[in-house]
PDB file of all heavy atoms in Angstrom:
ATOM      1  N   VAL A   1     -10.999 -41.860  -9.687  1.00  0.00           N
ATOM      2  CA  VAL A   1     -11.289 -43.070 -10.265  1.00  0.00           C
ATOM      3  C   VAL A   1     -10.469 -43.371 -11.502  1.00  0.00           C
ATOM      4  O   VAL A   1     -10.193 -44.397 -11.955  1.00  0.00           O
ATOM      5  CB  VAL A   1     -12.809 -43.160 -10.413  1.00  0.00           C
ATOM      6  CG1 VAL A   1     -13.233 -44.491 -11.292  1.00  0.00           C
ATOM      7  CG2 VAL A   1     -13.562 -43.082  -9.158  1.00  0.00           C
ATOM      8  N   VAL A   2     -10.349 -42.129 -12.331  1.00  0.00           N
ATOM      9  CA  VAL A   2      -9.776 -42.350 -13.724  1.00  0.00           C
ATOM     10  C   VAL A   2      -8.324 -41.590 -13.762  1.00  0.00           C
ATOM     11  O   VAL A   2      -7.405 -42.334 -14.168  1.00  0.00           O
ATOM     12  CB  VAL A   2     -10.695 -41.619 -14.714  1.00  0.00           C
ATOM     13  CG1 VAL A   2     -10.227 -41.947 -16.078  1.00  0.00           C
ATOM     14  CG2 VAL A   2     -12.096 -42.055 -14.571  1.00  0.00           C
ATOM     15  N   GLY A   3      -8.257 -40.411 -13.402  1.00  0.00           N
ATOM     16  CA  GLY A   3      -6.872 -39.806 -13.540  1.00  0.00           C
ATOM     17  C   GLY A   3      -7.003 -38.332 -13.540  1.00  0.00           C
ATOM     18  O   GLY A   3      -8.047 -37.692 -13.639  1.00  0.00           O
ATOM     19  N   ARG A   4      -5.782 -37.693 -13.404  1.00  0.00           N
ATOM     20  CA  ARG A   4      -5.772 -36.231 -13.391  1.00  0.00           C
ATOM     21  C   ARG A   4      -6.259 -35.633 -14.659  1.00  0.00           C
ATOM     22  O   ARG A   4      -7.062 -34.606 -14.660  1.00  0.00           O
ATOM     23  CB  ARG A   4      -4.355 -35.871 -13.156  1.00  0.00           C
ATOM     24  CG  ARG A   4      -3.741 -36.207 -11.864  1.00  0.00           C
ATOM     25  CD  ARG A   4      -2.422 -35.452 -11.558  1.00  0.00           C
ATOM     26  NE  ARG A   4      -1.781 -36.011 -10.407  1.00  0.00           N
ATOM     27  CZ  ARG A   4      -0.873 -37.145 -10.410  1.00  0.00           C
ATOM     28  NH1 ARG A   4      -0.583 -37.688 -11.407  1.00  0.00           N
ATOM     29  NH2 ARG A   4      -0.374 -37.441  -9.175  1.00  0.00           N
ATOM     30  N   TRP A   5      -5.794 -35.994 -15.803  1.00  0.00           N
ATOM     31  CA  TRP A   5      -6.182 -35.426 -17.033  1.00  0.00           C
ATOM     32  C   TRP A   5      -7.632 -35.793 -17.444  1.00  0.00           C
ATOM     33  O   TRP A   5      -8.313 -34.870 -18.123  1.00  0.00           O
ATOM     34  CB  TRP A   5      -5.235 -35.800 -18.211  1.00  0.00           C
ATOM     35  CG  TRP A   5      -3.943 -35.052 -18.075  1.00  0.00           C
ATOM     36  CD1 TRP A   5      -2.754 -35.647 -17.677  1.00  0.00           C
ATOM     37  CD2 TRP A   5      -3.671 -33.750 -18.328  1.00  0.00           C
ATOM     38  NE1 TRP A   5      -1.776 -34.623 -17.620  1.00  0.00           N
ATOM     39  CE2 TRP A   5      -2.212 -33.490 -18.035  1.00  0.00           C
ATOM     40  CE3 TRP A   5      -4.443 -32.705 -18.814  1.00  0.00           C
ATOM     41  CZ2 TRP A   5      -1.676 -32.164 -18.212  1.00  0.00           C
ATOM     42  CZ3 TRP A   5      -3.862 -31.460 -18.909  1.00  0.00           C
ATOM     43  CH2 TRP A   5      -2.481 -31.232 -18.657  1.00  0.00           C
ATOM     44  N   ALA A   6      -8.022 -36.909 -17.026  1.00  0.00           N
ATOM     45  CA  ALA A   6      -9.494 -37.308 -17.228  1.00  0.00           C
ATOM     46  C   ALA A   6     -10.318 -36.291 -16.403  1.00  0.00           C
ATOM     47  O   ALA A   6     -11.441 -35.887 -16.785  1.00  0.00           O
ATOM     48  CB  ALA A   6      -9.631 -38.725 -16.897  1.00  0.00           C
ATOM     49  N   ALA A   7      -9.877 -35.884 -15.111  1.00  0.00           N
ATOM     50  CA  ALA A   7     -10.573 -35.057 -14.326  1.00  0.00           C
ATOM     51  C   ALA A   7     -10.703 -33.733 -15.037  1.00  0.00           C
ATOM     52  O   ALA A   7     -11.771 -33.052 -14.832  1.00  0.00           O
ATOM     53  CB  ALA A   7      -9.960 -34.897 -13.006  1.00  0.00           C
ATOM     54  N   VAL A   8      -9.618 -33.222 -15.658  1.00  0.00           N
ATOM     55  CA  VAL A   8      -9.649 -31.996 -16.449  1.00  0.00           C
ATOM     56  C   VAL A   8     -10.717 -32.060 -17.465  1.00  0.00           C
ATOM     57  O   VAL A   8     -11.566 -31.134 -17.575  1.00  0.00           O
ATOM     58  CB  VAL A   8      -8.338 -31.678 -17.036  1.00  0.00           C
ATOM     59  CG1 VAL A   8      -8.450 -30.390 -17.940  1.00  0.00           C
ATOM     60  CG2 VAL A   8      -7.252 -31.465 -15.913  1.00  0.00           C
ATOM     61  N   ALA A   9     -10.759 -33.098 -18.258  1.00  0.00           N
ATOM     62  CA  ALA A   9     -11.652 -33.344 -19.380  1.00  0.00           C
ATOM     63  C   ALA A   9     -13.195 -33.327 -18.826  1.00  0.00           C
ATOM     64  O   ALA A   9     -14.125 -32.658 -19.377  1.00  0.00           O
ATOM     65  CB  ALA A   9     -11.454 -34.560 -20.238  1.00  0.00           C
ATOM     66  N   ALA A  10     -13.381 -34.085 -17.786  1.00  0.00           N
ATOM     67  CA  ALA A  10     -14.729 -34.334 -17.328  1.00  0.00           C
ATOM     68  C   ALA A  10     -15.272 -32.935 -16.619  1.00  0.00           C
ATOM     69  O   ALA A  10     -16.408 -32.579 -16.840  1.00  0.00           O
ATOM     70  CB  ALA A  10     -14.758 -35.354 -16.126  1.00  0.00           C
ATOM     71  N   THR A  11     -14.399 -32.232 -15.892  1.00  0.00           N
ATOM     72  CA  THR A  11     -14.739 -30.923 -15.396  1.00  0.00           C
ATOM     73  C   THR A  11     -15.114 -29.982 -16.458  1.00  0.00           C
ATOM     74  O   THR A  11     -15.978 -29.240 -16.256  1.00  0.00           O
ATOM     75  CB  THR A  11     -13.702 -30.455 -14.520  1.00  0.00           C
ATOM     76  OG1 THR A  11     -13.373 -31.452 -13.449  1.00  0.00           O
ATOM     77  CG2 THR A  11     -14.042 -29.173 -13.770  1.00  0.00           C
ATOM     78  N   ALA A  12     -14.300 -29.993 -17.571  1.00  0.00           N
ATOM     79  CA  ALA A  12     -14.591 -29.029 -18.605  1.00  0.00           C
ATOM     80  C   ALA A  12     -15.818 -29.379 -19.258  1.00  0.00           C
ATOM     81  O   ALA A  12     -16.601 -28.510 -19.683  1.00  0.00           O
ATOM     82  CB  ALA A  12     -13.422 -29.154 -19.637  1.00  0.00           C
ATOM     83  N   LEU A  13     -16.217 -30.624 -19.453  1.00  0.00           N
ATOM     84  CA  LEU A  13     -17.517 -31.020 -20.028  1.00  0.00           C
ATOM     85  C   LEU A  13     -18.636 -30.596 -19.092  1.00  0.00           C
ATOM     86  O   LEU A  13     -19.733 -30.111 -19.673  1.00  0.00           O
ATOM     87  CB  LEU A  13     -17.550 -32.543 -20.359  1.00  0.00           C
ATOM     88  CG  LEU A  13     -16.635 -33.048 -21.325  1.00  0.00           C
ATOM     89  CD1 LEU A  13     -16.661 -34.532 -21.385  1.00  0.00           C
ATOM     90  CD2 LEU A  13     -17.146 -32.564 -22.815  1.00  0.00           C
ATOM     91  N   ILE A  14     -18.517 -30.723 -17.824  1.00  0.00           N
ATOM     92  CA  ILE A  14     -19.557 -30.138 -16.921  1.00  0.00           C
ATOM     93  C   ILE A  14     -19.717 -28.730 -17.061  1.00  0.00           C
ATOM     94  O   ILE A  14     -20.789 -28.184 -17.011  1.00  0.00           O
ATOM     95  CB  ILE A  14     -19.317 -30.646 -15.461  1.00  0.00           C
ATOM     96  CG1 ILE A  14     -19.370 -32.157 -15.378  1.00  0.00           C
ATOM     97  CG2 ILE A  14     -20.287 -29.920 -14.487  1.00  0.00           C
ATOM     98  CD1 ILE A  14     -20.786 -32.757 -15.678  1.00  0.00           C
ATOM     99  N   ALA A  15     -18.565 -28.034 -17.051  1.00  0.00           N
ATOM    100  CA  ALA A  15     -18.488 -26.616 -17.122  1.00  0.00           C
ATOM    101  C   ALA A  15     -19.253 -26.080 -18.459  1.00  0.00           C
ATOM    102  O   ALA A  15     -19.795 -25.056 -18.524  1.00  0.00           O
ATOM    103  CB  ALA A  15     -17.183 -26.051 -17.091  1.00  0.00           C
ATOM    104  N   ALA A  16     -19.178 -26.869 -19.472  1.00  0.00           N
ATOM    105  CA  ALA A  16     -19.725 -26.526 -20.808  1.00  0.00           C
ATOM    106  C   ALA A  16     -21.041 -27.277 -21.107  1.00  0.00           C
ATOM    107  O   ALA A  16     -21.429 -27.495 -22.171  1.00  0.00           O
ATOM    108  CB  ALA A  16     -18.774 -26.967 -21.933  1.00  0.00           C
ATOM    109  N   ALA A  17     -21.768 -27.705 -20.070  1.00  0.00           N
ATOM    110  CA  ALA A  17     -23.030 -28.347 -20.225  1.00  0.00           C
ATOM    111  C   ALA A  17     -24.206 -27.341 -20.143  1.00  0.00           C
ATOM    112  O   ALA A  17     -24.427 -26.743 -18.973  1.00  0.00           O
ATOM    113  CB  ALA A  17     -23.164 -29.469 -19.159  1.00  0.00           C
ATOM    114  N   PRO A  18     -24.883 -27.127 -21.164  1.00  0.00           N
ATOM    115  CA  PRO A  18     -26.000 -26.001 -21.156  1.00  0.00           C
ATOM    116  C   PRO A  18     -27.071 -26.421 -20.094  1.00  0.00           C
ATOM    117  O   PRO A  18     -27.674 -25.465 -19.583  1.00  0.00           O
ATOM    118  CB  PRO A  18     -26.482 -26.193 -22.603  1.00  0.00           C
ATOM    119  CG  PRO A  18     -25.287 -26.683 -23.402  1.00  0.00           C
ATOM    120  CD  PRO A  18     -24.706 -27.705 -22.525  1.00  0.00           C
ATOM    121  N   MET A  19     -27.433 -27.601 -20.004  1.00  0.00           N
ATOM    122  CA  MET A  19     -28.417 -28.043 -19.005  1.00  0.00           C
ATOM    123  C   MET A  19     -28.039 -27.695 -17.636  1.00  0.00           C
ATOM    124  O   MET A  19     -28.786 -27.250 -16.796  1.00  0.00           O
ATOM    125  CB  MET A  19     -28.768 -29.459 -19.189  1.00  0.00           C
ATOM    126  CG  MET A  19     -30.134 -29.826 -18.484  1.00  0.00           C
ATOM    127  SD  MET A  19     -31.589 -29.219 -19.375  1.00  0.00           S
ATOM    128  CE  MET A  19     -31.643 -30.368 -20.794  1.00  0.00           C
ATOM    129  N   ILE A  20     -26.756 -27.869 -17.302  1.00  0.00           N
ATOM    130  CA  ILE A  20     -26.242 -27.547 -16.036  1.00  0.00           C
ATOM    131  C   ILE A  20     -26.324 -26.020 -15.735  1.00  0.00           C
ATOM    132  O   ILE A  20     -26.843 -25.512 -14.684  1.00  0.00           O
ATOM    133  CB  ILE A  20     -24.737 -27.920 -15.820  1.00  0.00           C
ATOM    134  CG1 ILE A  20     -24.506 -29.461 -15.955  1.00  0.00           C
ATOM    135  CG2 ILE A  20     -24.146 -27.309 -14.595  1.00  0.00           C
ATOM    136  CD1 ILE A  20     -25.051 -30.170 -14.749  1.00  0.00           C
ATOM    137  N   LEU A  21     -25.995 -25.212 -16.772  1.00  0.00           N
ATOM    138  CA  LEU A  21     -26.054 -23.749 -16.665  1.00  0.00           C
ATOM    139  C   LEU A  21     -27.512 -23.270 -16.607  1.00  0.00           C
ATOM    140  O   LEU A  21     -27.854 -22.388 -15.914  1.00  0.00           O
ATOM    141  CB  LEU A  21     -25.279 -23.017 -17.833  1.00  0.00           C
ATOM    142  CG  LEU A  21     -23.774 -23.125 -17.786  1.00  0.00           C
ATOM    143  CD1 LEU A  21     -23.344 -22.482 -19.006  1.00  0.00           C
ATOM    144  CD2 LEU A  21     -23.219 -22.465 -16.599  1.00  0.00           C
ATOM    145  N   THR A  22     -28.353 -23.948 -17.314  1.00  0.00           N
ATOM    146  CA  THR A  22     -29.734 -23.526 -17.358  1.00  0.00           C
ATOM    147  C   THR A  22     -30.400 -23.733 -15.879  1.00  0.00           C
ATOM    148  O   THR A  22     -31.074 -22.730 -15.360  1.00  0.00           O
ATOM    149  CB  THR A  22     -30.656 -24.411 -18.283  1.00  0.00           C
ATOM    150  OG1 THR A  22     -30.171 -24.179 -19.544  1.00  0.00           O
ATOM    151  CG2 THR A  22     -32.150 -24.075 -18.158  1.00  0.00           C
ATOM    152  N   TYR A  23     -30.206 -24.747 -15.163  1.00  0.00           N
ATOM    153  CA  TYR A  23     -30.692 -24.977 -13.838  1.00  0.00           C
ATOM    154  C   TYR A  23     -29.979 -24.485 -12.725  1.00  0.00           C
ATOM    155  O   TYR A  23     -30.372 -24.612 -11.536  1.00  0.00           O
ATOM    156  CB  TYR A  23     -31.109 -26.440 -13.840  1.00  0.00           C
ATOM    157  CG  TYR A  23     -32.211 -26.726 -14.670  1.00  0.00           C
ATOM    158  CD1 TYR A  23     -32.055 -27.392 -15.982  1.00  0.00           C
ATOM    159  CD2 TYR A  23     -33.531 -26.432 -14.374  1.00  0.00           C
ATOM    160  CE1 TYR A  23     -33.132 -27.551 -16.795  1.00  0.00           C
ATOM    161  CE2 TYR A  23     -34.550 -26.512 -15.236  1.00  0.00           C
ATOM    162  CZ  TYR A  23     -34.353 -27.091 -16.492  1.00  0.00           C
ATOM    163  OH  TYR A  23     -35.474 -27.284 -17.300  1.00  0.00           O
ATOM    164  N   VAL A  24     -28.818 -23.834 -13.007  1.00  0.00           N
ATOM    165  CA  VAL A  24     -28.165 -22.992 -12.022  1.00  0.00           C
ATOM    166  C   VAL A  24     -29.096 -21.768 -11.726  1.00  0.00           C
ATOM    167  O   VAL A  24     -29.198 -21.280 -10.732  1.00  0.00           O
ATOM    168  CB  VAL A  24     -26.806 -22.509 -12.528  1.00  0.00           C
ATOM    169  CG1 VAL A  24     -26.391 -21.278 -11.730  1.00  0.00           C
ATOM    170  CG2 VAL A  24     -25.783 -23.560 -12.285  1.00  0.00           C
ATOM    171  N   GLY A  25     -29.744 -21.308 -12.810  1.00  0.00           N
ATOM    172  CA  GLY A  25     -30.666 -20.141 -12.843  1.00  0.00           C
ATOM    173  C   GLY A  25     -32.099 -20.353 -12.757  1.00  0.00           C
ATOM    174  O   GLY A  25     -32.917 -19.452 -13.176  1.00  0.00           O
ATOM    175  N   GLU A  26     -32.480 -21.370 -12.156  1.00  0.00           N
ATOM    176  CA  GLU A  26     -33.934 -21.684 -12.081  1.00  0.00           C
ATOM    177  C   GLU A  26     -34.252 -22.262 -10.732  1.00  0.00           C
ATOM    178  O   GLU A  26     -33.503 -22.949 -10.070  1.00  0.00           O
ATOM    179  CB  GLU A  26     -34.367 -22.816 -13.075  1.00  0.00           C
ATOM    180  CG  GLU A  26     -34.401 -22.148 -14.479  1.00  0.00           C
ATOM    181  CD  GLU A  26     -35.346 -22.875 -15.473  1.00  0.00           C
ATOM    182  OE1 GLU A  26     -36.198 -23.668 -14.972  1.00  0.00           O
ATOM    183  OE2 GLU A  26     -35.232 -22.750 -16.656  1.00  0.00           O
ATOM    184  N   LEU A  27     -35.580 -21.890 -10.271  1.00  0.00           N
ATOM    185  CA  LEU A  27     -36.038 -22.403  -8.984  1.00  0.00           C
ATOM    186  C   LEU A  27     -36.586 -23.854  -9.190  1.00  0.00           C
ATOM    187  O   LEU A  27     -37.779 -23.999  -9.287  1.00  0.00           O
ATOM    188  CB  LEU A  27     -37.022 -21.502  -8.487  1.00  0.00           C
ATOM    189  CG  LEU A  27     -37.886 -21.942  -7.237  1.00  0.00           C
ATOM    190  CD1 LEU A  27     -36.842 -22.188  -6.051  1.00  0.00           C
ATOM    191  CD2 LEU A  27     -38.891 -20.877  -6.890  1.00  0.00           C
ATOM    192  N   LYS A  28     -35.794 -24.843  -9.523  1.00  0.00           N
ATOM    193  CA  LYS A  28     -36.171 -26.161  -9.620  1.00  0.00           C
ATOM    194  C   LYS A  28     -35.200 -27.101  -8.876  1.00  0.00           C
ATOM    195  O   LYS A  28     -34.028 -26.705  -8.535  1.00  0.00           O
ATOM    196  CB  LYS A  28     -36.126 -26.572 -11.145  1.00  0.00           C
ATOM    197  CG  LYS A  28     -37.073 -25.772 -12.043  1.00  0.00           C
ATOM    198  CD  LYS A  28     -38.574 -25.958 -11.657  1.00  0.00           C
ATOM    199  CE  LYS A  28     -39.027 -27.273 -12.176  1.00  0.00           C
ATOM    200  NZ  LYS A  28     -40.507 -27.425 -12.022  1.00  0.00           N
ATOM    201  N   GLN A  29     -35.589 -28.296  -8.599  1.00  0.00           N
ATOM    202  CA  GLN A  29     -34.799 -29.189  -7.774  1.00  0.00           C
ATOM    203  C   GLN A  29     -33.758 -29.932  -8.580  1.00  0.00           C
ATOM    204  O   GLN A  29     -32.904 -30.720  -7.895  1.00  0.00           O
ATOM    205  CB  GLN A  29     -35.777 -30.246  -7.090  1.00  0.00           C
ATOM    206  CG  GLN A  29     -36.376 -31.200  -8.090  1.00  0.00           C
ATOM    207  CD  GLN A  29     -37.732 -30.851  -8.613  1.00  0.00           C
ATOM    208  OE1 GLN A  29     -37.918 -29.644  -8.771  1.00  0.00           O
ATOM    209  NE2 GLN A  29     -38.565 -31.772  -8.932  1.00  0.00           N
ATOM    210  N   TYR A  30     -33.561 -29.763  -9.870  1.00  0.00           N
ATOM    211  CA  TYR A  30     -32.741 -30.542 -10.601  1.00  0.00           C
ATOM    212  C   TYR A  30     -31.239 -30.392 -10.166  1.00  0.00           C
ATOM    213  O   TYR A  30     -30.469 -31.380 -10.329  1.00  0.00           O
ATOM    214  CB  TYR A  30     -32.869 -30.302 -12.066  1.00  0.00           C
ATOM    215  CG  TYR A  30     -34.282 -30.434 -12.506  1.00  0.00           C
ATOM    216  CD1 TYR A  30     -34.965 -29.396 -13.131  1.00  0.00           C
ATOM    217  CD2 TYR A  30     -34.991 -31.704 -12.292  1.00  0.00           C
ATOM    218  CE1 TYR A  30     -36.294 -29.540 -13.579  1.00  0.00           C
ATOM    219  CE2 TYR A  30     -36.291 -31.805 -12.663  1.00  0.00           C
ATOM    220  CZ  TYR A  30     -36.990 -30.769 -13.332  1.00  0.00           C
ATOM    221  OH  TYR A  30     -38.261 -30.820 -13.715  1.00  0.00           O
ATOM    222  N   ALA A  31     -30.831 -29.198  -9.855  1.00  0.00           N
ATOM    223  CA  ALA A  31     -29.403 -28.930  -9.286  1.00  0.00           C
ATOM    224  C   ALA A  31     -29.064 -29.782  -8.160  1.00  0.00           C
ATOM    225  O   ALA A  31     -28.066 -30.472  -8.086  1.00  0.00           O
ATOM    226  CB  ALA A  31     -29.068 -27.477  -9.325  1.00  0.00           C
ATOM    227  N   VAL A  32     -29.940 -29.703  -7.137  1.00  0.00           N
ATOM    228  CA  VAL A  32     -29.754 -30.424  -5.859  1.00  0.00           C
ATOM    229  C   VAL A  32     -29.714 -31.844  -6.095  1.00  0.00           C
ATOM    230  O   VAL A  32     -28.881 -32.692  -5.554  1.00  0.00           O
ATOM    231  CB  VAL A  32     -30.744 -29.952  -4.838  1.00  0.00           C
ATOM    232  CG1 VAL A  32     -30.694 -30.784  -3.573  1.00  0.00           C
ATOM    233  CG2 VAL A  32     -30.472 -28.401  -4.535  1.00  0.00           C
ATOM    234  N   GLU A  33     -30.752 -32.360  -7.046  1.00  0.00           N
ATOM    235  CA  GLU A  33     -30.779 -33.793  -7.234  1.00  0.00           C
ATOM    236  C   GLU A  33     -29.425 -34.265  -7.894  1.00  0.00           C
ATOM    237  O   GLU A  33     -28.982 -35.379  -7.600  1.00  0.00           O
ATOM    238  CB  GLU A  33     -31.933 -34.049  -8.114  1.00  0.00           C
ATOM    239  CG  GLU A  33     -33.314 -33.937  -7.414  1.00  0.00           C
ATOM    240  CD  GLU A  33     -34.454 -34.372  -8.150  1.00  0.00           C
ATOM    241  OE1 GLU A  33     -34.346 -34.253  -9.403  1.00  0.00           O
ATOM    242  OE2 GLU A  33     -35.586 -34.843  -7.609  1.00  0.00           O
ATOM    243  N   SER A  34     -28.884 -33.412  -8.851  1.00  0.00           N
ATOM    244  CA  SER A  34     -27.716 -33.767  -9.485  1.00  0.00           C
ATOM    245  C   SER A  34     -26.564 -33.973  -8.462  1.00  0.00           C
ATOM    246  O   SER A  34     -25.761 -34.968  -8.533  1.00  0.00           O
ATOM    247  CB  SER A  34     -27.323 -32.838 -10.560  1.00  0.00           C
ATOM    248  OG  SER A  34     -28.347 -32.752 -11.532  1.00  0.00           O
ATOM    249  N   ALA A  35     -26.403 -33.071  -7.621  1.00  0.00           N
ATOM    250  CA  ALA A  35     -25.338 -33.074  -6.500  1.00  0.00           C
ATOM    251  C   ALA A  35     -25.525 -34.244  -5.560  1.00  0.00           C
ATOM    252  O   ALA A  35     -24.598 -34.960  -5.241  1.00  0.00           O
ATOM    253  CB  ALA A  35     -25.325 -31.769  -5.796  1.00  0.00           C
ATOM    254  N   VAL A  36     -26.793 -34.459  -5.105  1.00  0.00           N
ATOM    255  CA  VAL A  36     -27.080 -35.544  -4.222  1.00  0.00           C
ATOM    256  C   VAL A  36     -26.717 -36.892  -4.844  1.00  0.00           C
ATOM    257  O   VAL A  36     -26.164 -37.796  -4.145  1.00  0.00           O
ATOM    258  CB  VAL A  36     -28.525 -35.496  -3.736  1.00  0.00           C
ATOM    259  CG1 VAL A  36     -28.895 -36.752  -2.934  1.00  0.00           C
ATOM    260  CG2 VAL A  36     -28.667 -34.249  -2.856  1.00  0.00           C
ATOM    261  N   ALA A  37     -26.989 -37.113  -6.035  1.00  0.00           N
ATOM    262  CA  ALA A  37     -26.781 -38.425  -6.808  1.00  0.00           C
ATOM    263  C   ALA A  37     -25.292 -38.702  -6.727  1.00  0.00           C
ATOM    264  O   ALA A  37     -24.840 -39.913  -6.429  1.00  0.00           O
ATOM    265  CB  ALA A  37     -27.262 -38.371  -8.258  1.00  0.00           C
TER     266      ALA A  37
END
């Protein structure tokens, strides 16, 4: 949708998202809901 370098920036921001990392390590539905959206 945006571009190659934009994909790099967006991916880096997701990689550096504390809430993402928190719910990788929890038995909660938030990770699956994020992917499904």
Side-chain angles (χ1 to χ4, degrees):
V1 178
V2 188
R4 295 188 187 93
W5 286 104
V8 174
T11 305
L13 289 172
I14 294 296
M19 196 69 76
I20 295 289
L21 288 175
T22 294
Y23 289 100
V24 162
E26 287 202 17
L27 174 59
K28 300 293 284 186
Q29 67 269 29
Y30 304 124
V32 172
E33 288 186 333
S34 300
V36 170

